[in-house]
Amino acid sequence: MDPVSVSVTIDRPREEVFEYLVDMANHAEFCDHYLVDWRLTREDSYGRGAGARFRVKIPMNRFPWADATFSQVVRPSLIIETGTAGKFNRIRTTGTYALDLAAGGGTEVTFTFQTEPGNLADRLGESLGARPWMRRRTQQAMRRLRSILEEDTGRGDRVTVAAG
């Protein structure tokens, strides 16, 4: 899938937004409308190497499980998460959070998501509307992120370690 990119301006310092985003356990709070059943892949959910596995609620998806792991963290401006999805985890995914200083204060957060389908069947599956669906869901997630950080409203459940 070609990259899907959405942006939001949050009226908070860049360091504060970065600290929130670099903790994988927080992502379930603003993404739980389309990513559900979160499970952390390690006890420490903060920083490089932190990851989670979750189900993607895309319509007619027979293989909904996906995962993401923070592969690169550059304080306070960049977080890159890589992962897999789909049947046999053959679809490679990359999500990038770029944090820039916004004009007039605050932080502009740009999230870019792209996939690399494993074969022709995966490419055909994505061509059936995955890109517009993903754009709508990530736009909603960025709006929820803004309301959580600015107003402390709209929080979902924060994921924890099983039996933790």
Side-chain angles (χ1 to χ4, degrees):
M1 171 174 36
D2 290 336
V4 172
S5 190
V6 297
S7 295
V8 66
T9 301
I10 300 173
D11 191 22
R12 284 290 192 237
R14 183 165 65 162
E15 292 76 17
E16 182 180 330
V17 176
F18 179 85
E19 285 299 317
Y20 182 83
L21 287 174
V22 79
D23 188 347
M24 180 64 80
N26 290 333
H27 288 238
E29 286 191 327
F30 62 92
C31 294
D32 67 353
H33 59 284
Y34 73 109
L35 305 177
V36 297
D37 298 333
W38 286 73
R39 285 137 175 86
L40 294 176
T41 57
R42 70 178 196 183
E43 193 171 333
D44 184 12
S45 65
Y46 185 88
R48 188 171 184 269
R53 190 149 174 81
F54 43 82
R55 274 188 323 109
V56 182
K57 288 177 30 176
I58 191 166
M60 298 183 296
N61 185 5
R62 292 183 2 174
F63 306 101
W65 287 98
D67 61 67
T69 302
F70 293 147
S71 58
Q72 186 176 354
V73 175
V74 179
R75 184 170 304 276
S77 59
L78 181 70
I79 301 169
I80 298 175
E81 59 184 31
T82 56
T84 58
K87 187 175 184 179
F88 304 122
N89 286 330
R90 63 185 175 212
I91 300 172
R92 302 280 178 227
T93 64
T94 305
T96 304
Y97 292 91
L99 285 73
D100 295 313
L101 298 174
T107 305
E108 182 175 351
V109 179
T110 302
F111 178 70
T112 304
F113 182 79
Q114 64 185 28
T115 63
E116 297 174 28
N119 60 24
L120 179 61
D122 296 334
R123 282 192 295 280
L124 288 173
E126 285 187 355
S127 69
L128 298 175
R131 191 166 193 275
W133 183 88
M134 182 59 75
R135 178 178 298 287
R136 284 190 307 274
R137 296 311 179 271
T138 54
Q139 284 174 334
Q140 183 178 356
M142 291 296 102
R143 287 191 303 267
R144 288 185 69 195
L145 174 65
R146 179 177 52 210
S147 72
I148 288 169
L149 292 176
E150 286 184 358
E151 304 160 10
D152 199 28
T153 61
R155 289 185 181 270
D157 292 331
R158 188 173 188 276
V159 68
T160 60
V161 176

